[in-house]
Coordinates of all heavy atoms in Angstrom, one line a residue:
G145 N 13.5 2.4 -0.8 CA 14.1 1.3 -1.6 C 13.8 -0.1 -1.0 O 13.3 -0.9 -1.6
P146 N 14.2 -0.3 0.3 CA 14.1 -1.6 0.9 C 12.6 -2.2 0.9 O 11.7 -1.5 0.8 CB 14.6 -1.5 2.3 CG 15.5 -0.3 2.2 CD 14.9 0.6 1.2
I147 N 12.6 -3.5 1.0 CA 11.3 -4.2 1.1 C 10.9 -4.2 2.6 O 11.7 -4.6 3.4 CB 11.4 -5.6 0.6 CG1 11.6 -5.6 -1.0 CG2 10.1 -6.4 0.9 CD1 11.9 -6.9 -1.6
W148 N 9.7 -3.9 2.9 CA 9.2 -3.8 4.3 C 8.0 -4.8 4.4 O 7.1 -4.8 3.5 CB 8.7 -2.4 4.7 CG 9.9 -1.5 4.8 CD1 10.6 -0.8 3.9 CD2 10.4 -1.0 6.1 NE1 11.5 0.0 4.4 CE2 11.4 -0.1 5.8 CE3 10.1 -1.3 7.4 CZ2 12.2 0.5 6.8 CZ3 10.8 -0.6 8.4 CH2 11.8 0.3 8.1
A149 N 7.8 -5.4 5.5 CA 6.6 -6.3 5.7 C 5.3 -5.5 5.7 O 4.4 -5.9 5.0 CB 6.8 -7.0 7.1
P150 N 5.2 -4.3 6.4 CA 3.9 -3.7 6.4 C 3.4 -3.2 5.0 O 2.2 -3.5 4.7 CB 4.1 -2.5 7.3 CG 5.3 -2.8 8.2 CD 6.1 -3.7 7.3
S151 N 4.3 -2.6 4.2 CA 3.8 -2.2 2.9 C 3.5 -3.4 2.0 O 2.5 -3.3 1.2 CB 4.9 -1.3 2.3 OG 6.1 -1.9 2.2
T152 N 4.2 -4.5 2.2 CA 4.0 -5.7 1.4 C 2.6 -6.2 1.7 O 1.8 -6.6 0.9 CB 5.0 -6.8 1.6 OG1 6.3 -6.2 1.3 CG2 4.8 -8.0 0.8
M153 N 2.3 -6.3 3.0 CA 1.0 -6.8 3.5 C -0.2 -5.9 3.0 O -1.2 -6.4 2.5 CB 0.9 -6.9 5.0 CG -0.3 -7.6 5.5 SD -0.2 -8.0 7.2 CE -1.8 -8.6 7.5
I154 N 0.0 -4.6 3.1 CA -1.1 -3.7 2.7 C -1.4 -3.8 1.2 O -2.5 -3.9 0.8 CB -0.7 -2.2 3.1 CG1 -0.8 -2.1 4.6 CG2 -1.7 -1.2 2.4 CD1 -0.2 -0.8 5.1
I155 N -0.3 -3.8 0.4 CA -0.5 -3.9 -1.0 C -1.1 -5.3 -1.4 O -2.0 -5.3 -2.2 CB 0.9 -3.7 -1.8 CG1 1.5 -2.3 -1.5 CG2 0.8 -4.1 -3.2 CD1 0.8 -1.2 -2.3
A156 N -0.6 -6.4 -0.8 CA -1.2 -7.7 -1.1 C -2.7 -7.7 -0.7 O -3.5 -8.3 -1.5 CB -0.4 -8.8 -0.3
E157 N -3.0 -7.2 0.4 CA -4.5 -7.2 0.8 C -5.3 -6.4 -0.2 O -6.4 -6.7 -0.6 CB -4.6 -6.6 2.2 CG -4.0 -7.5 3.3 CD -4.7 -8.8 3.5 OE1 -5.9 -8.9 3.5 OE2 -4.0 -9.8 3.6
G158 N -4.7 -5.2 -0.6 CA -5.4 -4.4 -1.6 C -5.6 -5.0 -2.9 O -6.6 -5.0 -3.6
L159 N -4.5 -5.7 -3.4 CA -4.6 -6.4 -4.6 C -5.7 -7.5 -4.6 O -6.5 -7.7 -5.6 CB -3.2 -7.1 -5.0 CG -2.2 -6.1 -5.4 CD1 -0.8 -6.7 -5.4 CD2 -2.5 -5.5 -6.8
E160 N -5.7 -8.2 -3.5 CA -6.8 -9.2 -3.4 C -8.2 -8.6 -3.4 O -9.1 -9.1 -4.1 CB -6.6 -10.0 -2.1 CG -7.5 -11.2 -1.9 CD -6.9 -12.5 -1.5 OE1 -5.6 -12.5 -1.3 OE2 -7.6 -13.4 -1.4
A161 N -8.3 -7.5 -2.7 CA -9.6 -6.8 -2.7 C -10.0 -6.2 -4.1 O -11.1 -6.0 -4.4 CB -9.6 -5.6 -1.7
A162 N -8.9 -6.0 -4.9 CA -9.1 -5.5 -6.2 C -9.4 -6.6 -7.3 O -9.5 -6.3 -8.5 CB -7.9 -4.6 -6.7
G163 N -9.4 -7.8 -6.8 CA -9.6 -8.9 -7.7 C -8.3 -9.5 -8.3 O -8.4 -10.4 -9.2
E164 N -7.2 -9.2 -7.8 CA -5.9 -9.7 -8.3 C -5.3 -10.7 -7.3 O -4.2 -10.6 -6.8 CB -4.9 -8.5 -8.4 CG -5.1 -7.7 -9.6 CD -4.7 -8.4 -10.9 OE1 -3.7 -9.2 -10.9 OE2 -5.3 -8.2 -11.9
A165 N -6.1 -11.8 -7.1 CA -5.7 -12.8 -6.1 C -4.4 -13.5 -6.4 O -3.6 -13.7 -5.5 CB -6.8 -13.8 -5.9
E166 N -4.2 -13.8 -7.7 CA -2.9 -14.5 -8.1 C -1.7 -13.6 -7.9 O -0.7 -14.1 -7.4 CB -3.0 -14.9 -9.5 CG -3.7 -16.2 -9.7 CD -3.2 -17.3 -8.8 OE1 -2.0 -17.6 -8.9 OE2 -4.0 -17.9 -8.1
F167 N -1.8 -12.3 -8.2 CA -0.6 -11.4 -8.0 C -0.4 -11.2 -6.5 O 0.7 -11.2 -6.0 CB -0.9 -10.1 -8.7 CG 0.3 -9.2 -8.6 CD1 1.6 -9.6 -8.7 CD2 0.1 -7.8 -8.6 CE1 2.7 -8.7 -8.7 CE2 1.2 -6.9 -8.5 CZ 2.5 -7.4 -8.6
A168 N -1.5 -11.1 -5.7 CA -1.3 -11.0 -4.2 C -0.7 -12.2 -3.7 O 0.2 -12.2 -2.8 CB -2.7 -10.8 -3.6
R169 N -1.1 -13.4 -4.2 CA -0.5 -14.7 -3.7 C 1.0 -14.7 -4.1 O 1.8 -15.1 -3.3 CB -1.2 -15.9 -4.4 CG -0.7 -17.2 -3.9 CD -1.5 -18.3 -4.5 NE -1.2 -19.6 -3.9 CZ -0.1 -20.3 -4.2 NH1 0.7 -19.9 -5.1 NH2 0.1 -21.4 -3.6
E170 N 1.4 -14.2 -5.3 CA 2.8 -14.2 -5.7 C 3.6 -13.3 -4.8 O 4.7 -13.7 -4.4 CB 2.9 -13.8 -7.2 CG 4.3 -13.7 -7.7 CD 5.1 -15.0 -7.6 OE1 4.4 -16.1 -7.7 OE2 6.3 -15.0 -7.4
L171 N 3.1 -12.2 -4.4 CA 3.8 -11.3 -3.5 C 4.0 -11.9 -2.1 O 5.0 -11.8 -1.5 CB 3.1 -9.9 -3.3 CG 3.1 -9.0 -4.6 CD1 2.3 -7.7 -4.3 CD2 4.5 -8.7 -5.0
R172 N 3.0 -12.6 -1.7 CA 3.1 -13.3 -0.4 C 4.1 -14.4 -0.4 O 4.9 -14.6 0.5 CB 1.7 -13.9 0.0 CG 0.7 -12.8 0.4 CD -0.7 -13.5 0.7 NE -1.6 -12.4 1.0 CZ -2.8 -12.2 0.4 NH1 -3.2 -13.0 -0.6 NH2 -3.6 -11.3 0.8
L173 N 4.1 -15.2 -1.5 CA 5.2 -16.2 -1.7 C 6.6 -15.6 -1.7 O 7.5 -16.2 -1.1 CB 4.9 -16.9 -3.0 CG 3.9 -18.1 -3.0 CD1 3.6 -18.6 -4.4 CD2 4.5 -19.3 -2.2
R174 N 6.7 -14.5 -2.5 CA 8.1 -13.9 -2.6 C 8.5 -13.5 -1.2 O 9.7 -13.6 -0.8 CB 8.1 -12.8 -3.6 CG 7.9 -13.2 -5.0 CD 8.0 -12.0 -6.0 NE 7.6 -12.5 -7.3 CZ 8.0 -11.9 -8.4 NH1 8.7 -10.8 -8.4 NH2 7.6 -12.3 -9.6
F175 N 7.6 -12.9 -0.4 CA 8.0 -12.4 0.9 C 8.3 -13.6 1.8 O 9.3 -13.5 2.6 CB 6.8 -11.5 1.5 CG 7.2 -10.9 2.8 CD1 8.0 -9.8 2.9 CD2 7.0 -11.6 4.0 CE1 8.4 -9.2 4.1 CE2 7.4 -11.0 5.2 CZ 8.1 -9.9 5.3
C176 N 7.5 -14.6 1.8 CA 7.8 -15.8 2.6 C 9.2 -16.4 2.3 O 9.9 -16.8 3.2 CB 6.7 -16.8 2.6 SG 5.2 -16.3 3.5
R177 N 9.4 -16.5 1.0 CA 10.7 -17.1 0.6 C 11.9 -16.2 1.1 O 12.9 -16.7 1.5 CB 10.8 -17.2 -0.9 CG 10.0 -18.4 -1.5 CD 10.2 -18.5 -3.0 NE 9.2 -19.4 -3.5 CZ 8.4 -19.1 -4.5 NH1 8.4 -17.9 -5.1 NH2 7.5 -19.9 -5.0
L178 N 11.7 -14.9 0.9 CA 12.7 -13.9 1.4 C 13.0 -14.1 2.9 O 14.1 -14.2 3.3 CB 12.2 -12.5 1.1 CG 13.1 -11.3 1.5 CD1 14.4 -11.4 0.8 CD2 12.3 -10.0 1.2
A179 N 11.9 -14.1 3.7 CA 12.0 -14.2 5.1 C 12.6 -15.5 5.5 O 13.5 -15.6 6.4 CB 10.7 -14.0 5.8
A180 N 12.2 -16.6 4.9 CA 12.7 -17.9 5.2 C 14.2 -18.0 4.9 O 15.0 -18.7 5.7 CB 12.0 -19.0 4.4
G181 N 14.7 -17.3 3.9 CA 16.1 -17.3 3.6 C 17.0 -16.2 4.3 O 18.2 -16.4 4.5
S182 N 16.3 -15.1 4.7 CA 17.1 -14.0 5.3 C 16.7 -13.6 6.7 O 17.2 -12.6 7.2 CB 16.9 -12.8 4.4 OG 17.5 -13.0 3.1
G183 N 15.8 -14.4 7.3 CA 15.4 -14.1 8.7 C 14.4 -13.0 8.7 O 13.7 -12.7 7.7
F184 N 14.2 -12.4 9.9 CA 13.1 -11.4 10.1 C 13.6 -10.0 10.6 O 13.2 -9.5 11.6 CB 12.2 -12.0 11.2 CG 11.7 -13.4 10.8 CD1 12.2 -14.5 11.3 CD2 10.6 -13.5 9.9 CE1 11.8 -15.8 10.9 CE2 10.2 -14.7 9.5 CZ 10.7 -15.9 10.0
P185 N 14.4 -9.4 9.7 CA 14.9 -8.1 10.1 C 13.8 -7.0 9.9 O 12.7 -7.3 9.4 CB 16.0 -7.9 9.0 CG 15.5 -8.6 7.8 CD 14.8 -9.8 8.4
E186 N 14.2 -5.8 10.1 CA 13.3 -4.6 10.0 C 12.9 -4.5 8.5 O 11.8 -4.2 8.2 CB 14.0 -3.4 10.5 CG 13.1 -2.2 10.5 CD 13.8 -1.0 11.2 OE1 15.0 -1.1 11.6 OE2 13.1 0.0 11.4
N187 N 13.9 -4.6 7.6 CA 13.6 -4.6 6.2 C 14.7 -5.3 5.4 O 15.6 -5.8 6.0 CB 13.5 -3.1 5.7 CG 14.7 -2.3 6.0 OD1 15.8 -2.6 5.6 ND2 14.6 -1.3 6.9
Y188 N 14.5 -5.4 4.1 CA 15.5 -6.1 3.2 C 15.9 -5.3 2.1 O 15.1 -4.5 1.5 CB 14.8 -7.4 2.7 CG 14.1 -8.3 3.7 CD1 12.8 -8.1 4.1 CD2 14.9 -9.4 4.2 CE1 12.2 -9.0 5.0 CE2 14.3 -10.3 5.1 CZ 13.0 -10.1 5.5 OH 12.4 -10.9 6.4
D189 N 17.1 -5.6 1.6 CA 17.6 -5.0 0.4 C 16.7 -5.6 -0.7 O 16.5 -6.8 -0.9 CB 19.1 -5.4 0.1 CG 19.6 -4.9 -1.2 OD1 19.0 -5.0 -2.2 OD2 20.8 -4.5 -1.2
A190 N 16.1 -4.7 -1.5 CA 15.1 -5.1 -2.5 C 15.6 -6.0 -3.6 O 15.0 -6.9 -4.1 CB 14.4 -3.9 -3.1
V191 N 16.9 -5.8 -3.9 CA 17.5 -6.5 -5.0 C 18.2 -7.8 -4.6 O 17.9 -8.9 -5.1 CB 18.5 -5.6 -5.8 CG1 19.1 -6.4 -6.9 CG2 17.7 -4.4 -6.4
S192 N 19.0 -7.7 -3.5 CA 19.8 -8.9 -3.1 C 19.0 -9.7 -2.1 O 19.3 -10.9 -1.9 CB 21.1 -8.4 -2.5 OG 20.9 -7.8 -1.2
G193 N 18.1 -9.1 -1.4 CA 17.3 -9.8 -0.3 C 18.1 -9.8 1.0 O 17.6 -10.4 2.0
R194 N 19.2 -9.2 1.1 CA 20.0 -9.2 2.4 C 19.2 -8.5 3.5 O 18.5 -7.5 3.2 CB 21.3 -8.5 2.2 CG 22.3 -9.4 1.5 CD 23.8 -8.8 1.6 NE 23.9 -7.5 0.9 CZ 24.1 -7.3 -0.4 NH1 24.3 -8.4 -1.2 NH2 24.2 -6.1 -0.9
P195 N 19.2 -9.0 4.7 CA 18.6 -8.3 5.8 C 19.2 -7.0 6.1 O 20.4 -6.9 6.0 CB 18.7 -9.3 7.0 CG 19.9 -10.2 6.6 CD 20.0 -10.2 5.1
Q196 N 18.4 -6.0 6.6 CA 18.9 -4.7 6.9 C 18.4 -4.2 8.2 O 17.3 -4.6 8.6 CB 18.6 -3.7 5.7 CG 19.2 -4.1 4.4 CD 19.0 -3.0 3.4 OE1 19.9 -2.8 2.5 NE2 17.9 -2.3 3.3
D197 N 19.1 -3.2 8.8 CA 18.7 -2.5 10.0 C 18.5 -3.5 11.1 O 19.2 -4.4 11.3 CB 17.5 -1.6 9.7 CG 17.8 -0.6 8.6 OD1 18.9 0.1 8.8 OD2 17.1 -0.4 7.7
D198 N 17.5 -3.3 12.0 CA 17.3 -4.2 13.1 C 17.2 -5.6 12.7 O 16.4 -6.0 11.9 CB 16.0 -3.7 13.9 CG 15.9 -4.4 15.2 OD1 16.0 -5.6 15.3 OD2 15.7 -3.6 16.2
P199 N 18.0 -6.5 13.3 CA 18.0 -7.9 12.9 C 16.8 -8.8 13.2 O 16.6 -9.8 12.7 CB 19.3 -8.5 13.6 CG 19.4 -7.7 14.8 CD 19.0 -6.3 14.4
S200 N 16.0 -8.3 14.2 CA 14.8 -9.1 14.6 C 13.6 -8.2 14.8 O 13.6 -7.4 15.8 CB 15.1 -9.8 15.9 OG 16.2 -10.7 15.8
Y201 N 12.6 -8.3 14.0 CA 11.5 -7.4 14.0 C 10.2 -8.1 14.1 O 9.9 -9.0 13.3 CB 11.6 -6.5 12.8 CG 11.5 -5.0 13.2 CD1 12.5 -4.4 13.8 CD2 10.4 -4.3 12.8 CE1 12.5 -3.0 14.2 CE2 10.3 -2.9 13.2 CZ 11.3 -2.3 13.8 OH 11.3 -1.0 14.2
T202 N 9.4 -7.8 15.0 CA 8.1 -8.5 15.2 C 7.2 -8.4 14.0 O 6.5 -9.3 13.6 CB 7.4 -7.9 16.5 OG1 8.3 -8.0 17.6 CG2 6.1 -8.7 16.8
W203 N 7.1 -7.2 13.4 CA 6.1 -7.1 12.3 C 6.6 -7.9 11.1 O 5.7 -8.4 10.4 CB 5.8 -5.7 11.9 CG 6.8 -4.8 11.3 CD1 7.9 -5.1 10.6 CD2 6.8 -3.4 11.3 NE1 8.6 -4.0 10.1 CE2 8.0 -2.9 10.6 CE3 6.0 -2.4 11.9 CZ2 8.3 -1.6 10.4 CZ3 6.3 -1.1 11.7 CH2 7.4 -0.7 11.0
T204 N 7.8 -8.1 10.9 CA 8.3 -9.0 9.8 C 7.9 -10.4 10.1 O 7.4 -11.1 9.2 CB 9.8 -8.8 9.7 OG1 10.2 -7.5 9.5 CG2 10.3 -9.6 8.5
S205 N 8.1 -10.9 11.3 CA 7.8 -12.3 11.6 C 6.2 -12.4 11.6 O 5.7 -13.5 11.2 CB 8.4 -12.7 13.0 OG 8.0 -11.8 14.0

Side-chain angles (χ1 to χ4, degrees):
I147 292 172
W148 289 77
S151 56
T152 301
M153 184 171 178
I154 291 167
I155 297 282
E157 295 295 313
L159 288 166
E160 185 131 0
E164 282 287 326
E166 278 305 307
F167 186 35
R169 184 177 189 280
E170 179 59 30
L171 289 179
R172 290 177 179 124
L173 273 171
R174 289 183 192 204
F175 185 83
C176 285
R177 286 187 194 121
L178 177 63
S182 296
F184 304 99
E186 188 173 3
N187 57 62
Y188 304 89
D189 179 315
V191 177
S192 72
R194 284 192 297 273
Q196 297 188 145
D197 300 310
D198 191 308
S200 301
Y201 232 68
T202 304
W203 68 25
T204 307
S205 57

